[in-house]
Amino acid sequence: MAGLPDLALIGNGTIGALVDGMGRIVWACFPRFDGTPVFDALLRDDGGGAFAIEIADFERAEQHYLPETAILVTRLYDRHGGGVEIADFAPHFVVDGQMFRPAALARRLTPIGVSPRLTFRCQPSTTLQVVPDQAPATLDRPLTVVCGLAAVDTRDADGWLDATANGWREWVRGLTLPEEWRDAVVRAAITLKLNQSDDTGAIVAAMTTSLPEAADSGRNWDYRYCWLRDSYFVVDALNRLGATEVGQHYVDFLLQVTTHLPGDRLQPLFGIDGRREIEERIDPVLPGFQGMGPVRIGNAAYRQVQHDSYGSAILA
């Protein structure tokens, strides 16, 4: 399809978000992957549903991940030699022996050169605690902006970036990596890891719903659930790299959801929390990606009989 955006994934095993090339958060669900879409600009055509940080007199943008992390860096430059660096991430590190991975997104802003003039445009589609809400300002020192659930303690937010970077690099150090295409393999491994729920071990097929398989096809499915087939391939790929904890956690989930199945049928997908019934409905408001609806929430494929699900479960 024409006009497909170039999107980057960030997350922490609790939530995930998609960021476009201008540093706009255009998709994020809370409090977990299959939760309510709070930022949903990806499926809207009215300019809303995003968290944008705009720079006055914009000239150009550039973007990259910090090496061996799930931290995305976007740099926006103005025509006067100034700019802002936006480091987007979801906190993910150990504190006092416990993993800190709240349902929150952090944006670390650092001025480049002459203090840039910024406008915050945060337009969530539903209630969300946002700091700040919307404010044009001159950025003259680093600032961390956090959006998430009200229970998140943000007093130490300025230190989250380094802690999260160190946490991801520690995970990468545990991988067995090939010499050829090493950076690409690391990036793929982190991306796959971001699709596993740290709470339950479930692996979602995608972070999104209702992106059309083909233009105006109507084949717009909700993939924010755990397909046994897709999950096996993720487990197999990461096992080959030595990330065996992903497979172990997934097998725990698999055993939990299959131990007391009614009847003798293994359904092809489950909810992140192990629920079996994932009723499908159409969102009456969102127009869909580039206006190509419908937007579906839920997936009725849980009722299907897919015999390869048994093999996928056994292989995992």
Side-chain angles (χ1 to χ4, degrees):
M1 289 179 291
L4 282 173
D6 188 7
L7 302 174
L9 174 64
I10 59 173
N12 63 358
T14 298
I15 60 171
L18 295 175
V19 185
D20 71 9
M22 292 293 293
R24 298 166 64 241
I25 298 175
V26 296
W27 182 261
C29 297
F30 287 79
R32 62 186 192 186
F33 304 149
D34 62 349
T36 301
V38 172
F39 296 114
D40 55 8
L42 196 60
L43 301 180
R44 297 172 63 162
D45 54 8
D46 60 0
F51 185 0
I53 297 173
E54 301 174 354
I55 188 169
D57 299 322
F58 169 77
E59 182 179 59
R60 61 187 174 89
E62 58 186 42
Q63 198 171 61
H64 67 277
Y65 282 101
L66 287 184
E68 301 186 352
T69 77
I71 299 171
L72 180 72
V73 174
T74 305
R75 294 193 181 107
L76 305 176
Y77 295 94
D78 61 27
R79 296 194 296 270
H80 312 293
V84 60
E85 178 179 282
I86 308 168
D88 281 316
F89 63 100
H92 185 267
F93 52 89
V94 175
V95 178
D96 297 329
Q98 300 292 322
M99 181 60 72
F100 179 66
R101 44 176 178 75
L105 300 172
R107 320 199 75 180
R108 181 65 171 172
L109 310 180
T110 304
I112 301 172
V114 179
S115 298
R117 182 76 173 170
L118 304 178
T119 300
F120 294 84
R121 300 194 186 280
C122 187
Q123 299 170 316
S125 58
T126 187
T127 302
L128 185 74
Q129 178 185 357
V130 180
V131 183
D133 186 5
Q134 180 173 341
T138 298
L139 184 69
D140 57 6
R141 63 186 182 277
L143 170 70
T144 300
V145 179
V146 178
C147 58
L149 301 183
V152 177
D153 185 347
T154 62
R155 287 175 293 180
D156 298 322
D158 286 343
W160 289 359
L161 177 63
D162 289 342
T164 298
N166 292 336
W168 279 110
R169 287 168 180 155
E170 182 66 24
W171 185 78
V172 170
R173 277 193 289 272
L175 301 179
T176 302
L177 297 166
E179 300 241 348
E180 189 176 15
W181 303 107
R182 183 185 185 281
D183 292 345
V185 172
V186 167
R187 181 56 46 208
I190 290 175
T191 301
L192 293 178
K193 170 66 173 170
L194 289 176
N195 284 273
Q196 182 174 47
S197 166
D198 279 0
D199 281 331
T200 69
I203 299 171
V204 295
M207 288 287 170
T208 53
T209 178
S210 304
L211 296 185
E213 292 182 6
D216 298 312
S217 65
R219 298 194 299 273
N220 304 355
W221 313 118
D222 189 347
Y223 286 113
R224 300 172 299 157
Y225 306 103
C226 184
W227 267 259
L228 303 190
R229 180 194 304 117
D230 302 66
S231 298
Y232 158 67
F233 288 118
V234 172
V235 167
D236 182 53
L238 291 178
N239 271 350
R240 292 169 185 261
L241 299 177
T244 56
E245 83 286 349
V246 172
Q248 291 167 358
H249 200 16
Y250 170 68
V251 168
D252 290 341
F253 170 81
L254 188 60
L255 292 174
Q256 176 187 351
V257 299
T258 58
T259 298
H260 301 293
L261 280 177
D264 58 358
R265 182 176 69 86
L266 181 61
Q267 63 192 64
L269 70 147
F270 294 86
I272 294 174
D273 56 0
R275 61 195 164 101
R276 301 183 182 97
E277 296 183 1
I278 308 172
E279 296 299 334
E280 185 176 307
R281 63 180 176 85
I282 293 177
D283 188 292
V285 176
L286 291 174
F289 177 73
Q290 296 182 354
M292 291 182 286
V295 171
R296 290 187 170 90
I297 306 297
N299 198 305
Y302 80 91
R303 296 194 185 96
Q304 295 179 3
V305 176
Q306 297 181 9
H307 295 297
D308 65 335
S309 297
Y310 295 91
S312 299
I314 291 170
L315 287 171

